[in-house]
Amino acid sequence: MANWYDEEYNGTSRIGFKVRRTLFSGQSPFQKVDIIETEDFGRALLLDDAWMTSEFDEKTYHEPITHVPMAVSPSIARVLIIGGGDGGTAREVLRYPGVEHVDMVEIDGMVVEACKEFLLTIGSAWNDPRLHVHIDDGIAWVTEGKHAPYDVIIVDGADPAGPAEGLFNRAFFEGCRRCLAPNGVLTTQAESPDMMRDIHLAMIETIGQVFPVVRPYYGSVMLYPGAQWSWIFASNGVQPEDVIDGRTDEIEKTTWLYNRDVHHAMLAVPNHIRREIQK
Ligand code: SPD
């Protein structure tokens, strides 16, 4: 259909938006990279024709993946972001004055360059001196334990196909655990509990084989298949309910979605997932 851009999911459904204009289109060694301007959702990034983020709803993704771990981690001085090439997660992390050093490891330099040029409303913290962007393989980074330990690790990757596939397996999470400080915490995006239920459940199981604490949490991201989305929190003992008093007070004055009530509400697990976890 002319003037529409669709993500086709599983060959059986589509999520489409009317396009105003294409701002960037390229083929990197890893994937197809597009940034388009839509009628309803503002500018949006697609990787291999899958919607990654849009100006309109990006906060409903970047706030949960960032503020849930940041609100509870005893220390937040050193943060590792795997992926996150649009800069939205880094922007949220860098809002905390207690953050001293952020390594963002993104495999695809084309994503970072295109987002720096066309998606600056999302990646608005590129010039923060605490941010260190590495165009490198995040899997190798954690396997080799580069620059570890970290207080917080955030895995902000794409779907489990293409370059992000390795961000879903046990060896990767074992590497993450080795890179975490003993009291550190991890979050990862964990797909749709409805449209990608098997992948979501497999992630809970896999991460549970690596970390003693594994807790999925939920929210809605309109851009993604099913709109209901998930993240997984993991740690060696810190629980996601252990919000540190005062940590997010300043931040909550300007967040779009996140506050302490939302934090706790997101931890409610739908019955159909809870039954599987309890098996
Ligand atoms: N189906 C899309 C899943 C994408 C998750 N990551 C998005 C990256 C936004 N920073």
Side-chain angles (χ1 to χ4, degrees), residues 51-62:
W51 300 105
M52 289 295 125
T53 193
S54 83
E55 288 179 313
F56 181 64
D57 73 340
E58 57 97 4
K59 292 188 171 73
T60 62
Y61 174 91
H62 291 123

Side-chain angles (χ1 to χ4, degrees), residues 51-53 61-62 84 86 89 156-159 189 191 224-225 229:
W51 300 105
M52 289 295 125
T53 193
Y61 174 91
H62 291 123
D86 51 63
T89 296
D156 179 15
D159 304 299
Q189 77 91 3
E191 302 290 294
Y224 298 158
W229 208 250

Side-chain angles (χ1 to χ4, degrees), residues 176-235:
C176 288
R177 189 176 180 203
R178 287 194 300 272
C179 287
L180 269 183
N183 261 344
V185 308
L186 169 144
T187 53
T188 179
Q189 77 91 3
E191 302 290 294
S192 163
D194 303 309
M195 298 287 275
M196 296 114 170
R197 188 168 180 269
D198 291 349
I199 299 172
H200 177 64
L201 289 169
M203 286 185 79
I204 297 172
E205 187 176 346
T206 302
I207 298 171
Q209 289 163 357
V210 176
F211 286 93
V213 173
V214 55
R215 299 280 301 279
Y217 59 100
Y218 301 90
S220 61
V221 183
M222 284 183 284
L223 193 66
Y224 298 158
Q228 178 75 354
W229 208 250
S230 74
W231 301 266
I232 292 174
F233 173 96
S235 78

Side-chain angles (χ1 to χ4, degrees), residues 67-69 71-72 185 213-217 233-235 237-244 258 263-264 267:
H67 299 305
V68 170
V72 304
V185 308
V213 173
V214 55
R215 299 280 301 279
Y217 59 100
F233 173 96
S235 78
V238 174
Q239 297 288 342
E241 287 88 356
D242 298 344
V243 174
I244 293 169
Y258 182 86
H263 180 116
H264 292 289
L267 291 165

Side-chain angles (χ1 to χ4, degrees), residues 120-183:
L120 277 178
T121 45
I122 294 179
S124 53
W126 293 115
N127 293 328
D128 190 309
R130 297 171 294 168
L131 177 62
H132 304 266
V133 177
H134 309 269
I135 303 305
D136 206 341
D137 179 355
I139 298 166
W141 191 276
V142 298
T143 305
E144 293 163 24
K146 282 190 197 170
H147 300 204
Y150 293 100
D151 300 306
V152 178
I153 298 179
I154 300 177
V155 186
D156 179 15
D159 304 299
E165 197 168 355
L167 304 179
F168 291 77
N169 64 42
R170 181 172 171 160
F172 170 69
F173 290 108
E174 284 169 345
C176 288
R177 189 176 180 203
R178 287 194 300 272
C179 287
L180 269 183
N183 261 344

